Amino acid sequence: MKRLIPVLLLALAACGAQPAARQAAPTGLTWAVETQPITLNPQQWSQNKARLLVFNQFDALLTRNKDGSFGPWLAKAWKVSGDELTYTLTLRDDVTFHDGTRFDAASVKANLDQFFVEGYNAAVAGIQLRAFKEAKVLSATTLEITLKEPDALFLDFLASPYAGQISPKSLKSAKDLKFGGTELAGTGPFILDRYVPGQELHYRRNPAYTWPPAGAAHQGPADLAEITYRFLPEAAVRVGALTSGQVQVIEGVPATEAGLIKNDPGLTLQTALNSGTSFSYYFNTSRAPFDDQRVREAFRAAVDVDAVLKAVYQGTATRAWSIVGKASPFYDASLENTFGGDVAQANRLLDEAGWKQRDAQGYRVKDGKRLSVRTIASAAFIRDRRDILAQAIQAQVKQNAGIDFQVKIVDQGTAQKALDDNDYEVFENSRGDSDAGAALNLLLPGKGALNRTHFSDPDVEKWIAEASRTSDQARRKELYAKVQRVVVRDKAIVFPLYVPADQIAAQKSVQGLGFHPASGTPASAYDVRIGT
């Protein structure tokens, strides 16, 4: 019997009282962030650390709650047809873009159609919008979206940064559309009016803002009159700026500095696990030596992950056991304690794979070639002391198994060229998708936009495809568990290391800070205020 789905999903918030509007205080705030964004266009979003910036300037069509349900935002209600192929969105009629143009069904259609402009964002068009067929404007406030096949991830797309609404006028006029910045007009609570590369972003309050997402702590414009985000990649510099009063908020607090903040009565510290995927090493199976499963298993066995995490993060990191993070409802706990930390096994496997000899430096060699592997990481994506983590792993695999693990941190262009040229052995990645299924669609199918392992398995692809077509969460969990067991346990394609988390430290006078309920990343500054 076909499962029945709700025909009408209405905002719960519409049934109850809304938080009262409050007088916005004429104050500003400076917030130090760990990572400079490589784009400020929400539809090009790829850095989890940039999520808090995106939702200052742009609003999505829906919002996602901690329990996985969806709530209203720019779309105040939506219907899903019985065959799950037609989505009818009822939009707010009181929203304007920062450039003064009206938000309506035609503007949503323009944003959806933009993804299919050649060269704009083929990855999103091919994954998140793979089932999209067309969007029809039925009225100024009604949009009908038709899919080619059911897609359990479509509502998640509508609640993601990718669904951040950009003024069609600026979509056409922006000189650097893919980067965005001050040229793009959104509908969000803040207007970006200054960007200084390598230094800072500055936002001013949108005085017309009256459409926060469901769950917001208040109504009306943001409390802060302005906010400046300073780019301070060095953790000690960020913490020093906070303790000296140069900034009022920082994110990205390393374990080495957490104690200092906790012991300061004038500061607060909050933390939350991210959703999506764990930070993992992905082995490139199309190149030696990781085309040999024994070598992949040996690399993992040579690392005592618990010891490494304790040394680098001083006991604050959460060990990962799967490609899917522990914060996800699809996490498969059966993988815990199934790999890693077995030096004898690592050396036995490498002997079996023919890497029996050692050179003068203690590295294994075969046919005159050293057992060398490289990770080539973009500096723009380095967070959470991942460079220090890599160095600790580098030392362990050399000492325990004679593997030459080379750690290369380069600029974004150089990293992308290495990926495009297939000139690497390890790809490191974590994804902050609210629904981990979106990440698996990108990372694991043979033609996935982020498949850097070059591993392809027909069963894995079949399971991922079925999970994407069904909205039965129990069935999706069952299918994703199968996927996780193949790529982690059976084939050793992925080496999970830790579950990313975000931290926010602030002066006690700063109130309203928190995390996005679904992603675990810092929320936008909409509800932030300076108290007494």
Side-chain angles (χ1 to χ4, degrees):
M1 180 177 176
K2 179 177 173 62
R3 186 184 60 82
L4 298 178
I5 65 171
V7 174
L8 178 62
L9 302 175
L10 286 172
L12 294 176
C15 301
Q18 294 288 326
R22 58 189 184 219
Q23 183 66 40
T27 55
L29 180 126
T30 303
W31 184 327
V33 294
E34 181 176 11
T35 306
Q36 181 175 186
I38 59 177
T39 176
L40 292 165
N41 179 333
Q43 296 166 4
Q44 303 291 327
W45 168 74
S46 61
Q47 294 163 289
N48 213 29
K49 284 282 188 178
R51 193 177 185 120
L52 78 160
L53 304 174
V54 168
F55 285 138
N56 279 336
Q57 189 178 1
F58 303 95
D59 298 322
L61 294 165
L62 304 179
T63 188
R64 189 154 196 179
N65 305 312
K66 191 173 182 61
D67 64 1
S69 63
F70 295 92
W73 200 345
L74 296 183
K76 62 182 182 180
W78 60 98
K79 295 179 182 179
V80 184
S81 62
D83 60 7
E84 302 182 54
L85 295 178
T86 304
Y87 290 68
T88 305
L89 307 184
T90 301
L91 307 174
R92 296 185 66 123
D93 61 2
D94 58 348
V95 177
T96 55
F97 289 101
H98 298 155
D99 60 9
T101 59
R102 181 184 182 186
F103 166 81
D104 57 13
S107 63
V108 178
K109 174 177 167 55
N111 276 263
L112 287 168
D113 290 345
Q114 181 65 40
F115 282 102
F116 298 93
V117 173
E118 185 176 356
Y120 186 65
N121 195 331
V124 171
I127 300 296
Q128 283 89 346
L129 289 175
R130 62 181 175 75
F132 178 83
K133 182 178 180 181
E134 62 179 343
K136 291 183 179 180
V137 175
L138 303 185
S139 73
T141 58
T142 309
L143 184 74
E144 182 182 88
I145 300 171
T146 305
L147 305 184
K148 292 177 284 190
E149 62 181 13
D151 185 357
L153 294 168
F154 189 65
L155 288 177
D156 182 71
F157 166 80
L158 297 180
S160 75
Y162 295 125
Q165 294 297 292
I166 300 172
S167 160
K169 180 180 177 181
S170 59
L171 282 175
K172 295 178 180 178
S173 64
K175 295 177 182 177
D176 189 351
L177 176 58
K178 293 187 74 171
F179 176 75
T182 58
E183 293 186 335
L184 294 192
T187 63
F190 293 93
I191 299 168
L192 178 65
D193 60 11
R194 185 172 74 246
Y195 167 59
V196 183
Q199 297 183 36
E200 66 182 27
L201 290 163
H202 181 269
Y203 295 87
R204 58 183 169 83
R205 181 170 54 212
N206 176 6
Y209 195 76
T210 58
W211 46 86
H218 78 287
Q219 297 291 296
D223 291 291
L224 296 173
E226 60 180 345
I227 182 167
T228 301
Y229 291 92
R230 293 178 58 193
F231 309 136
L232 298 179
E234 295 294 330
V237 174
R238 284 195 306 280
V239 173
L242 176 65
T243 56
S244 66
Q246 297 176 58
V247 304
Q248 291 78 53
V249 185
I250 66 173
E251 60 83 30
V253 181
T256 53
E257 308 289 344
L260 175 66
I261 292 170
K262 289 179 180 178
N263 293 329
D264 190 324
L267 301 177
T268 61
L269 178 65
Q270 303 178 54
T271 187
L273 289 180
N274 294 170
S275 61
T277 59
S278 303
F279 177 69
S280 304
Y281 284 173
Y282 293 77
F283 298 130
N284 185 351
T285 64
S286 71
R287 292 177 58 98
F290 288 141
D291 56 344
D292 188 329
Q293 181 168 337
R294 293 169 296 187
V295 181
R296 302 196 297 268
E297 291 181 357
F299 189 100
R300 298 195 314 189
V303 182
D304 183 340
V305 176
D306 290 325
V308 166
L309 295 181
K310 183 176 181 181
V312 176
Y313 302 109
Q314 300 184 7
T316 63
T318 298
R319 169 79 183 265
W321 290 103
S322 176
I323 181 174
V324 175
K326 283 189 175 182
S328 170
F330 303 129
Y331 173 68
D332 181 17
S334 73
L335 293 171
E336 295 180 6
N337 302 305
T338 59
F339 61 86
D342 190 334
V343 175
Q345 181 193 37
N347 285 283
R348 174 179 56 79
L349 287 167
L350 291 177
D351 286 343
E352 291 176 2
W355 296 93
K356 296 181 179 180
Q357 305 300 317
R358 303 260 184 162
D359 63 16
Q361 287 74 43
Y363 294 112
R364 288 178 178 262
V365 294
K366 181 171 67 171
D367 300 328
K369 184 177 180 180
R370 179 180 285 184
L371 179 53
S372 298
V373 296
R374 298 160 299 165
T375 179
I376 302 177
S378 168
F381 288 88
I382 296 297
R383 54 171 286 193
D384 304 342
R385 307 187 83 213
R386 289 176 180 177
D387 50 344
I388 307 302
L389 174 64
Q391 292 169 19
I393 293 172
Q394 179 185 57
Q396 281 216 348
V397 296
K398 177 185 179 181
Q399 176 181 339
N400 294 338
I403 300 172
D404 176 25
F405 179 38
Q406 300 174 10
V407 179
K408 300 180 183 295
I409 299 174
V410 298
D411 62 86
Q412 175 68 8
T414 301
Q416 189 61 52
K417 185 177 188 305
L419 294 173
D420 293 342
D421 294 345
N422 196 32
D423 194 19
Y424 62 95
E425 288 73 43
V426 174
F427 170 64
E428 51 184 78
N429 183 265
S430 64
R431 294 276 308 177
D433 303 271
S434 300
D435 190 310
L440 298 183
N441 271 282
L442 288 165
L443 291 160
L444 297 180
K447 294 184 179 180
L450 292 181
N451 184 335
R452 306 302 188 186
T453 64
H454 299 283
F455 167 80
S456 180
D457 180 278
D459 286 332
V460 167
E461 297 198 13
K462 178 182 68 176
W463 297 329
I464 289 176
E466 182 182 343
S468 296
R469 288 192 299 268
T470 180
S471 52
D472 183 332
Q473 294 298 89
R475 178 57 178 162
R476 293 183 73 205
K477 181 177 177 64
E478 177 185 344
L479 291 165
Y480 288 143
K482 291 181 178 182
V483 169
Q484 293 168 74
R485 290 166 196 168
V486 168
V487 300
V488 176
R489 184 189 64 194
D490 300 343
K491 298 295 184 180
I493 303 299
V494 184
F495 183 12
L497 292 167
Y498 75 94
V499 182
D502 270 297
Q503 310 83 24
I504 305 174
Q507 295 179 0
K508 278 199 171 177
S509 60
V510 182
Q511 301 176 14
L513 293 164
F515 299 92
H516 189 280
S519 69
T521 56
S524 77
Y526 173 67
D527 281 323
V528 177
R529 63 191 186 279
I530 306 295
T532 55

